[in-house]
Amino acid sequence: MIKDITFGQYYPGKSLLHRMDPRMKLVLTFFLIVVLFVSKNFFALCLVSLITLIASLLSSVPQKMMLKSIKPVLIILLFTAALNIFYTKGGATYLEWGKLVITEKGVNTAIFTIIRIVTLVVLSSLLTYTTTPTMLTDGLERLLSPLKILHIKVDTLAMMMTLALRFIPTLIEEIERIMNAQKARGADLETGNLIERAKALIPIFVPLMVSSFRRAYELAFAMTCRCYTGGDGRTRMKQMKLSLRDFICLFVCLAVLAGVILLNIKFGSIFEV
Amino acid sequence: MSPALEIKNLTHCYQPGTPMEVAAIKDANITIEKGEIVGIIGHTGSGKSTLISHFNGLLKPTKGTVLVDGTDIWSSKEALRNSRFKVGLCFQYPEYQLFEDTVFKDIAFGPKNMKLPSDEIKRRVLEASKLAGVKPEMLEKSPFDLSGGEKRRVAIAGIMAMEPEVLVFDEPSAGLDPKGRRDLNNLIKAYHKKTGSTVIIVSHSMEDIAKLVDRIIVVNKAAIAMDGTVSEVFSRSEELKSMGLNVPEITEVFARLKAMGYDVPLDVYTVEYGADRLRELLGKGVGK
């Protein structure tokens, strides 16, 4: 069912990660992803993965949910691993079977890529698991606020994002309702070729558009009634404040970067022969 | 003759096999004969919608069978598809399903899916729009230019045009004004009389139910709590109240009169009938 798609997959909690400033969380997640791609050998990579693992354990998000976030990328994972195994050549040959040759370097690269992708997914999931969508957009808005100098309406953009996120579950429910109504009129959504199937979507798409516009008008009206006039002069209920824990996390991440650079220099890159 | 609709030991669980498993309907048994007019009442979240979504195979039972006209709808793909046409399901706020550029085309959507010849489609559209009270001059208009009440009639005509043997209405008069409600109730009654097909109405309004149906099925906490004639069900007013339901207000009035010692009948479910009884009573001269 469509409902199973989790979006804005916030997991309520009071951990260190939950209490961090969303701005710092956004910056550090991005920072660690960059560090992840700077890592050139297993030692450096494992350092980043280790810190991700520690963060994940600190987050109080059940490990089962963490694994669930990896599930959607499983196919990509297997696909890249297979490509790496068969197309990277070098070092000792483990297996030779007709045109398929598996070499030491191929296996190493495949494992390296898998760890890298998994760490990447866990890192970004940690951000969405520990931050509500509202906090996230709030943080993003604040981070992008220097763009105001260029006359970009950051607050309006952030409001649009918040609203879009808010309406995803509503729209999913709406789609299900319309689908059922049309199925009850004998609409066939499951069979037929590509063009027939695309055509079969019209009875769902049109009512969805109509009701979305209706909702948009109603929402705009409700916002106007509550005197929303854009971001200028608006104050916030929740003030963001950087605290000691944010700086400690920043320091840890900087230390990881330093460690990765040192390990890169010491052990070289696995991509070079 | 097999019954129009038969539900045997129906159980439906959402998210089976997970800790979040919830039984939305448990071991339900219902038999509805051809030509009956039945009301289904129940508290919000009692499982009514889940129940009716099984009538035309929108939901697959976790356990149990659904027989439409004697055929198990899940026995073959063909049977499932046929069940969609044999059991017309009119959802809450059906006007949100309109999508075509003319009213005619929208009503024709169902019959078209049945792959009927075009002259038969035309006949059915005209017939259904008459039954649903859609004026002929509306047929070439865009459904989005109509008023809310008109839209609902068009949507209902869209279901009627499939000429289903069983027609299920989920809260047909939700969100309508008193006149709209009255008109719609009359429309359903006239449809039942004229076509002789089976009609099932899900409603929160005890007044509407009392006016329209002969038999009431009460759903409570995912199970069938009562199934009987209007007087059988409404005579158990205390039980109904404990389920968050009620009896029609006029029934309540007569129960109070009786409690005050007046000699009045208790099987009063519509205002018209009640008014007649009161007139009789006044004619006799009120006596305790």
Side-chain angles (χ1 to χ4, degrees):
Chain A
M1 256 212 214
I2 343 180
K3 255 188 206 155
D4 294 340
I5 302 171
T6 44
F7 204 91
Q9 43 184 356
Y10 179 64
Y11 186 87
K14 283 200 171 82
S15 72
L16 171 74
L17 265 70
H18 283 86
R19 281 177 297 162
M20 263 175 82
D21 188 303
R23 287 172 297 177
M24 190 57 97
K25 256 192 279 189
L26 269 163
V27 170
L28 289 185
T29 307
F30 188 71
F31 180 81
L32 280 178
I33 288 172
V34 172
V35 174
L36 189 63
F37 281 86
V38 167
S39 314
K40 283 187 183 147
N41 56 50
F42 278 108
F43 297 101
L45 184 72
C46 285
L47 179 63
V48 187
S49 299
L50 187 73
I51 213 72
T52 310
L53 184 71
I54 292 171
S56 150
L57 290 173
L58 280 176
S59 71
S60 80
V61 176
Q63 298 305 304
K64 214 171 142 194
M65 281 185 77
M66 273 314 184
L67 290 176
K68 222 175 93 188
S69 67
I70 300 172
K71 222 170 94 187
V73 290
L74 213 59
I75 292 173
I76 303 173
L77 221 55
L78 289 174
F79 190 68
T80 39
L83 280 183
N84 275 314
I85 280 189
F86 296 124
Y87 284 93
T88 323
K89 298 210 167 64
T93 306
Y94 290 146
L95 187 85
E96 204 169 341
W97 191 60
K99 274 195 171 173
L100 292 177
V101 183
I102 295 177
T103 62
E104 184 187 354
K105 207 175 163 199
V107 173
N108 280 348
T109 327
I111 296 173
F112 193 84
T113 323
I114 288 178
I115 298 178
R116 191 183 258 178
I117 297 177
V118 169
T119 312
L120 175 76
V121 172
V122 172
L123 264 175
S124 38
S125 309
L126 265 179
L127 178 68
T128 48
Y129 274 134
T130 59
T131 326
T132 60
T134 342
M135 291 278 271
L136 214 54
T137 37
D138 256 13
L140 208 60
E141 179 186 350
R142 295 293 290 275
L143 281 176
L144 294 177
S145 56
L147 289 177
K148 273 183 194 160
I149 302 168
L150 301 171
H151 292 285
I152 296 171
K153 299 211 168 197
V154 181
D155 34 39
T156 315
L157 285 175
M159 177 58 85
M160 277 161 62
M161 255 173 78
T162 315
L163 291 179
L165 287 172
R166 155 68 186 78
F167 274 96
I168 286 171
T170 315
L171 287 182
I172 288 175
E173 220 167 82
E174 186 96 7
I175 292 174
E176 242 169 43
R177 235 178 40 166
I178 297 170
M179 266 169 80
N180 275 341
Q182 305 300 27
K183 271 198 214 156
R185 293 209 278 168
D188 188 0
L189 305 173
E190 277 110 34
T191 55
N193 59 37
L194 207 63
I195 297 168
E196 279 170 336
R197 281 196 195 199
K199 264 188 168 168
L201 287 180
I202 295 174
I204 296 177
F205 195 66
V206 174
L208 182 69
M209 275 330 238
V210 172
S211 74
S212 305
F213 274 106
R214 186 176 44 86
R215 271 181 213 285
Y217 278 117
E218 281 169 7
L219 183 73
F221 196 61
M223 283 169 78
T224 315
C225 287
R226 293 209 258 161
C227 305
Y228 179 77
T229 52
D232 295 331
R234 269 182 100 209
T235 52
R236 278 161 205 290
M237 191 164 92
K238 282 183 189 143
Q239 294 287 343
M240 280 177 211
K241 240 183 184 170
L242 289 173
S243 58
L244 185 63
R245 70 174 87 90
D246 294 304
F247 289 107
I248 292 172
C249 291
L250 175 67
F251 181 76
V252 170
C253 289
L254 286 173
V256 169
L257 175 67
V260 164
I261 292 173
L262 282 176
L263 288 166
N264 272 350
I265 294 168
K266 187 147 198 274
F267 296 101
S269 165
I270 67 151
F271 299 109
E272 287 155 25
V273 187
Chain B
M1 199 171 73
S2 43
L5 187 70
E6 211 176 346
I7 308 284
K8 284 185 189 159
N9 308 319
L10 177 78
T11 300
H12 189 91
C13 298
Y14 285 111
Q15 298 176 300
T18 66
M20 270 105 73
E21 180 175 316
V22 218
I25 201 86
K26 274 180 287 188
D27 204 28
N29 285 290
I30 303 171
T31 305
I32 292 171
E33 299 295 337
K34 283 188 176 127
E36 264 194 292
I37 179 158
V38 182
I40 298 180
I41 57 176
H43 195 253
T44 311
S46 59
K48 287 172 299 178
S49 294
T50 308
L51 180 66
I52 61 167
S53 296
H54 281 93
F55 292 174
N56 68 348
L58 285 177
L59 284 179
K60 190 174 184 173
T62 313
K63 250 184 255 150
T65 44
V66 179
L67 303 167
V68 172
D69 207 5
T71 325
D72 182 353
I73 63 168
W74 289 98
S75 61
S76 70
K77 250 187 158 169
E78 196 68 39
L80 180 64
R81 198 156 170 70
N82 277 334
S83 77
R84 297 271 159 88
F85 304 127
K86 280 188 176 170
V87 181
L89 203 55
C90 183
F91 282 101
Q92 240 178 86
Y93 298 103
E95 54 271 31
Y96 294 141
Q97 74 190 28
L98 303 174
F99 71 98
E100 281 282 13
D101 49 356
T102 70
V103 168
F104 184 95
K105 279 197 208 162
D106 209 288
I107 300 176
F109 181 66
K112 232 182 191 164
N113 286 329
M114 298 168 84
K115 310 228 156 45
L116 296 168
S118 62
D119 48 334
E120 173 68 9
I121 293 181
K122 195 171 175 201
R123 183 193 69 74
R124 286 190 175 204
V125 172
L126 296 178
E127 180 84 22
S129 42
K130 220 193 244 149
L131 281 170
V134 178
K135 292 186 204 97
E137 65 263 28
M138 274 190 220
L139 289 176
E140 290 312 311
K141 277 194 191 169
S142 159
F144 300 107
D145 290 340
L146 305 177
S147 74
E150 287 169 339
K151 274 187 203 167
R152 185 162 302 183
R153 283 164 183 273
V154 171
I156 291 173
I159 316 265
M160 286 177 173
M162 301 195 301
E163 301 193 347
E165 287 164 28
V166 182
L167 185 48
V168 188
F169 290 99
D170 189 358
E171 290 283 344
S173 52
L176 291 182
D177 56 26
K179 186 182 179 306
R181 276 184 109 88
R182 217 160 40 231
D183 290 351
L184 197 70
N185 283 342
N186 290 337
L187 184 158
I188 293 172
K189 209 151 198 181
Y191 168 84
H192 177 242
K193 215 172 192 176
K194 199 159 178 193
T195 61
S197 50
T198 317
V199 175
I200 301 171
I201 301 156
V202 178
S203 182
H204 274 124
S205 160
M206 301 303 140
E207 273 74 22
D208 287 356
I209 287 281
K211 241 178 254 171
L212 288 168
V213 306
D214 301 325
R215 173 180 161 199
I216 300 178
I217 294 169
V218 183
V219 185
N220 186 42
K221 287 187 186 150
I224 309 283
M226 294 182 208
D227 183 352
T229 63
V230 174
S231 46
E232 275 168 19
V233 170
F234 283 152
S235 64
R236 295 158 74 178
S237 68
E238 288 310 311
E239 276 171 80
L240 285 173
K241 277 177 198 161
S242 72
M243 295 173 190
L245 297 168
N246 213 337
V247 295
E249 277 182 26
I250 191 75
T251 313
E252 190 78 13
V253 169
F254 272 74
R256 294 267 182 92
L257 282 174
K258 184 89 179 178
M260 284 161 72
Y262 292 102
D263 179 29
V264 290
L266 287 173
D267 59 340
V268 178
Y269 310 113
T270 61
V271 177
E272 290 79 13
Y273 184 76
D276 285 345
R277 295 291 82 73
L278 276 183
R279 229 173 265 131
E280 264 172 35
L281 196 68
L282 289 170
K284 275 191 275 179
V286 189
K288 278 202 179 180

Short mmCIF file of all heavy atoms in Angstrom, two decimals, chain A residues 143-176:
data_model
loop_
_atom_site.label_atom_id
_atom_site.label_comp_id
_atom_site.label_asym_id
_atom_site.label_seq_id
_atom_site.Cartn_x
_atom_site.Cartn_y
_atom_site.Cartn_z
N LEU A 143 19.82 28.81 7.90
CA LEU A 143 21.12 28.66 7.25
C LEU A 143 21.17 29.42 5.94
O LEU A 143 22.21 29.94 5.53
CB LEU A 143 21.40 27.18 6.98
CG LEU A 143 21.87 26.37 8.19
CD1 LEU A 143 22.00 24.91 7.82
CD2 LEU A 143 23.20 26.90 8.69
N LEU A 144 20.04 29.47 5.25
CA LEU A 144 20.01 30.12 3.94
C LEU A 144 19.72 31.61 4.04
O LEU A 144 19.73 32.31 3.05
CB LEU A 144 18.95 29.46 3.04
CG LEU A 144 19.23 28.01 2.64
CD1 LEU A 144 18.08 27.46 1.83
CD2 LEU A 144 20.52 27.89 1.84
N SER A 145 19.44 32.10 5.28
CA SER A 145 18.99 33.49 5.40
C SER A 145 19.98 34.53 4.85
O SER A 145 19.55 35.59 4.43
CB SER A 145 18.61 33.81 6.83
OG SER A 145 19.68 33.54 7.68
N PRO A 146 21.30 34.24 4.80
CA PRO A 146 22.17 35.23 4.15
C PRO A 146 21.79 35.51 2.70
O PRO A 146 22.09 36.58 2.17
CB PRO A 146 23.55 34.59 4.22
CG PRO A 146 23.49 33.64 5.35
CD PRO A 146 22.08 33.15 5.41
N LEU A 147 21.08 34.58 2.07
CA LEU A 147 20.69 34.78 0.67
C LEU A 147 19.69 35.93 0.51
O LEU A 147 19.40 36.35 -0.59
CB LEU A 147 20.07 33.50 0.10
CG LEU A 147 21.02 32.34 -0.15
CD1 LEU A 147 20.26 31.12 -0.63
CD2 LEU A 147 22.06 32.74 -1.20
N LYS A 148 19.15 36.39 1.65
CA LYS A 148 18.19 37.49 1.59
C LYS A 148 18.81 38.72 0.93
O LYS A 148 18.12 39.53 0.32
CB LYS A 148 17.74 37.87 3.00
CG LYS A 148 16.56 37.04 3.47
CD LYS A 148 16.12 37.50 4.83
CE LYS A 148 15.18 36.50 5.45
NZ LYS A 148 15.10 36.65 6.90
N ILE A 149 20.12 38.85 1.08
CA ILE A 149 20.83 39.98 0.47
C ILE A 149 20.61 39.97 -1.03
O ILE A 149 20.52 41.00 -1.68
CB ILE A 149 22.33 39.91 0.80
CG1 ILE A 149 22.50 39.90 2.32
CG2 ILE A 149 23.09 41.08 0.19
CD1 ILE A 149 23.88 39.54 2.77
N LEU A 150 20.48 38.76 -1.60
CA LEU A 150 20.27 38.65 -3.04
C LEU A 150 18.79 38.75 -3.40
O LEU A 150 18.38 38.39 -4.49
CB LEU A 150 20.81 37.31 -3.55
CG LEU A 150 22.30 37.06 -3.30
CD1 LEU A 150 22.66 35.64 -3.64
CD2 LEU A 150 23.14 38.03 -4.12
N HIS A 151 17.95 39.18 -2.42
CA HIS A 151 16.51 39.33 -2.62
C HIS A 151 15.83 38.00 -2.93
O HIS A 151 14.86 37.94 -3.67
CB HIS A 151 16.19 40.36 -3.72
CG HIS A 151 16.57 41.74 -3.29
ND1 HIS A 151 15.82 42.46 -2.38
CD2 HIS A 151 17.62 42.51 -3.62
CE1 HIS A 151 16.41 43.61 -2.18
NE2 HIS A 151 17.51 43.68 -2.90
N ILE A 152 16.37 36.93 -2.37
CA ILE A 152 15.68 35.64 -2.47
C ILE A 152 14.82 35.50 -1.22
O ILE A 152 15.30 35.70 -0.11
CB ILE A 152 16.69 34.48 -2.58
CG1 ILE A 152 17.49 34.62 -3.87
CG2 ILE A 152 15.97 33.14 -2.55
CD1 ILE A 152 18.65 33.66 -3.96
N LYS A 153 13.53 35.18 -1.40
CA LYS A 153 12.63 35.10 -0.25
C LYS A 153 12.78 33.76 0.45
O LYS A 153 12.00 32.83 0.21
CB LYS A 153 11.19 35.31 -0.69
CG LYS A 153 10.99 36.67 -1.32
CD LYS A 153 9.60 37.17 -1.08
CE LYS A 153 9.55 38.63 -1.47
NZ LYS A 153 8.46 39.35 -0.97
N VAL A 154 13.79 33.69 1.30
CA VAL A 154 14.10 32.42 1.96
C VAL A 154 12.95 31.96 2.84
O VAL A 154 12.58 30.79 2.85
CB VAL A 154 15.39 32.55 2.78
CG1 VAL A 154 15.72 31.24 3.44
CG2 VAL A 154 16.52 33.01 1.90
N ASP A 155 12.34 32.91 3.59
CA ASP A 155 11.28 32.51 4.52
C ASP A 155 10.06 31.97 3.79
O ASP A 155 9.43 31.02 4.22
CB ASP A 155 10.90 33.68 5.44
CG ASP A 155 11.00 35.00 4.73
OD1 ASP A 155 10.63 35.04 3.54
OD2 ASP A 155 11.48 35.98 5.34
N THR A 156 9.76 32.57 2.62
CA THR A 156 8.63 32.07 1.84
C THR A 156 8.92 30.66 1.33
O THR A 156 8.08 29.78 1.37
CB THR A 156 8.34 33.00 0.66
OG1 THR A 156 8.37 34.34 1.13
CG2 THR A 156 7.01 32.72 0.03
N LEU A 157 10.14 30.47 0.85
CA LEU A 157 10.54 29.15 0.37
C LEU A 157 10.42 28.12 1.48
O LEU A 157 9.91 27.02 1.27
CB LEU A 157 11.98 29.19 -0.16
CG LEU A 157 12.16 29.85 -1.52
CD1 LEU A 157 13.63 29.94 -1.86
CD2 LEU A 157 11.43 29.05 -2.59
N ALA A 158 10.90 28.51 2.68
CA ALA A 158 10.84 27.58 3.79
C ALA A 158 9.40 27.26 4.17
O ALA A 158 9.08 26.10 4.46
CB ALA A 158 11.58 28.16 4.99
N MET A 159 8.54 28.27 4.13
CA MET A 159 7.13 28.04 4.43
C MET A 159 6.52 27.08 3.41
O MET A 159 5.78 26.16 3.75
CB MET A 159 6.38 29.39 4.41
CG MET A 159 4.90 29.29 4.63
SD MET A 159 4.42 28.50 6.16
CE MET A 159 4.51 29.86 7.30
N MET A 160 6.89 27.27 2.14
CA MET A 160 6.39 26.37 1.10
C MET A 160 6.83 24.94 1.35
O MET A 160 6.05 24.00 1.20
CB MET A 160 6.89 26.83 -0.28
CG MET A 160 6.04 27.92 -0.88
SD MET A 160 6.88 28.82 -2.17
CE MET A 160 7.16 27.55 -3.36
N MET A 161 8.07 24.80 1.76
CA MET A 161 8.58 23.44 2.03
C MET A 161 7.83 22.80 3.19
O MET A 161 7.45 21.63 3.13
CB MET A 161 10.07 23.50 2.35
CG MET A 161 10.92 23.02 1.21
SD MET A 161 12.65 23.31 1.58
CE MET A 161 12.99 21.99 2.69
N THR A 162 7.64 23.59 4.26
CA THR A 162 6.93 23.06 5.42
C THR A 162 5.53 22.60 5.03
O THR A 162 5.09 21.52 5.41
CB THR A 162 6.80 24.15 6.51
OG1 THR A 162 8.06 24.78 6.64
CG2 THR A 162 6.39 23.56 7.83
N LEU A 163 4.86 23.44 4.24
CA LEU A 163 3.49 23.10 3.84
C LEU A 163 3.48 21.86 2.96
O LEU A 163 2.62 20.99 3.10
CB LEU A 163 2.86 24.28 3.10
CG LEU A 163 2.57 25.50 3.97
CD1 LEU A 163 1.97 26.61 3.12
CD2 LEU A 163 1.63 25.14 5.09
N ALA A 164 4.45 21.78 2.04
CA ALA A 164 4.52 20.62 1.15
C ALA A 164 4.67 19.34 1.97
O ALA A 164 3.97 18.36 1.74
CB ALA A 164 5.66 20.77 0.17
N LEU A 165 5.57 19.39 2.94
CA LEU A 165 5.78 18.21 3.79
C LEU A 165 4.52 17.86 4.55
O LEU A 165 4.14 16.70 4.66
CB LEU A 165 6.91 18.48 4.79
CG LEU A 165 8.32 18.50 4.22
CD1 LEU A 165 9.30 18.96 5.27
CD2 LEU A 165 8.70 17.12 3.71
N ARG A 166 3.87 18.91 5.06
CA ARG A 166 2.67 18.69 5.85
C ARG A 166 1.57 17.99 5.04
O ARG A 166 0.78 17.22 5.55
CB ARG A 166 2.19 20.04 6.38
CG ARG A 166 0.72 20.18 6.71
CD ARG A 166 0.32 19.34 7.90
NE ARG A 166 -1.10 19.38 8.13
CZ ARG A 166 -1.99 18.70 7.45
NH1 ARG A 166 -1.60 17.92 6.46
NH2 ARG A 166 -3.26 18.77 7.73
N PHE A 167 1.52 18.29 3.72
CA PHE A 167 0.39 17.79 2.95
C PHE A 167 0.65 16.44 2.27
O PHE A 167 -0.26 15.90 1.65
CB PHE A 167 -0.06 18.83 1.92
CG PHE A 167 -1.03 19.79 2.53
CD1 PHE A 167 -0.61 21.01 3.03
CD2 PHE A 167 -2.36 19.45 2.66
CE1 PHE A 167 -1.50 21.88 3.63
CE2 PHE A 167 -3.26 20.31 3.25
CZ PHE A 167 -2.82 21.52 3.74
N ILE A 168 1.86 15.93 2.39
CA ILE A 168 2.11 14.64 1.75
C ILE A 168 1.19 13.53 2.28
O ILE A 168 0.51 12.88 1.49
CB ILE A 168 3.60 14.26 1.84
CG1 ILE A 168 4.38 15.12 0.85
CG2 ILE A 168 3.82 12.78 1.53
CD1 ILE A 168 5.86 15.00 0.97
N PRO A 169 1.09 13.33 3.59
CA PRO A 169 0.17 12.27 4.05
C PRO A 169 -1.28 12.52 3.66
O PRO A 169 -1.99 11.59 3.30
CB PRO A 169 0.32 12.28 5.57
CG PRO A 169 1.32 13.30 5.91
CD PRO A 169 1.80 13.98 4.68
N THR A 170 -1.69 13.79 3.69
CA THR A 170 -3.07 14.12 3.31
C THR A 170 -3.33 13.72 1.86
O THR A 170 -4.36 13.14 1.54
CB THR A 170 -3.30 15.63 3.45
OG1 THR A 170 -2.74 16.05 4.68
CG2 THR A 170 -4.76 15.97 3.42
N LEU A 171 -2.36 14.03 1.00
CA LEU A 171 -2.55 13.72 -0.41
C LEU A 171 -2.55 12.22 -0.66
O LEU A 171 -3.29 11.71 -1.49
CB LEU A 171 -1.47 14.41 -1.26
CG LEU A 171 -1.65 15.91 -1.38
CD1 LEU A 171 -0.58 16.51 -2.27
CD2 LEU A 171 -3.02 16.25 -1.95
N ILE A 172 -1.69 11.51 0.09
CA ILE A 172 -1.66 10.06 -0.08
C ILE A 172 -3.03 9.47 0.26
O ILE A 172 -3.56 8.63 -0.46
CB ILE A 172 -0.56 9.43 0.80
CG1 ILE A 172 0.80 9.78 0.22
CG2 ILE A 172 -0.72 7.93 0.90
CD1 ILE A 172 1.96 9.34 1.05
N GLU A 173 -3.61 9.96 1.35
CA GLU A 173 -4.94 9.49 1.74
C GLU A 173 -5.96 9.79 0.65
O GLU A 173 -6.79 8.96 0.31
CB GLU A 173 -5.33 10.23 3.02
CG GLU A 173 -6.02 9.37 4.03
CD GLU A 173 -6.08 10.10 5.35
OE1 GLU A 173 -6.99 10.93 5.50
OE2 GLU A 173 -5.21 9.87 6.20
N GLU A 174 -5.85 11.00 0.11
CA GLU A 174 -6.77 11.44 -0.94
C GLU A 174 -6.66 10.54 -2.17
O GLU A 174 -7.67 10.13 -2.74
CB GLU A 174 -6.42 12.89 -1.32
CG GLU A 174 -7.38 13.51 -2.27
CD GLU A 174 -8.42 14.34 -1.55
OE1 GLU A 174 -8.30 14.52 -0.33
OE2 GLU A 174 -9.36 14.77 -2.23
N ILE A 175 -5.43 10.24 -2.56
CA ILE A 175 -5.23 9.37 -3.74
C ILE A 175 -5.89 8.02 -3.51
O ILE A 175 -6.58 7.50 -4.37
CB ILE A 175 -3.72 9.16 -4.01
CG1 ILE A 175 -3.09 10.47 -4.48
CG2 ILE A 175 -3.51 8.08 -5.07
CD1 ILE A 175 -1.59 10.39 -4.63
N GLU A 176 -5.72 7.49 -2.32
CA GLU A 176 -6.31 6.18 -2.03
C GLU A 176 -7.83 6.24 -2.14
O GLU A 176 -8.46 5.34 -2.68
CB GLU A 176 -5.90 5.73 -0.63
CG GLU A 176 -5.10 4.46 -0.70
CD GLU A 176 -4.45 4.11 0.60
OE1 GLU A 176 -5.10 4.23 1.65
OE2 GLU A 176 -3.27 3.71 0.56
#
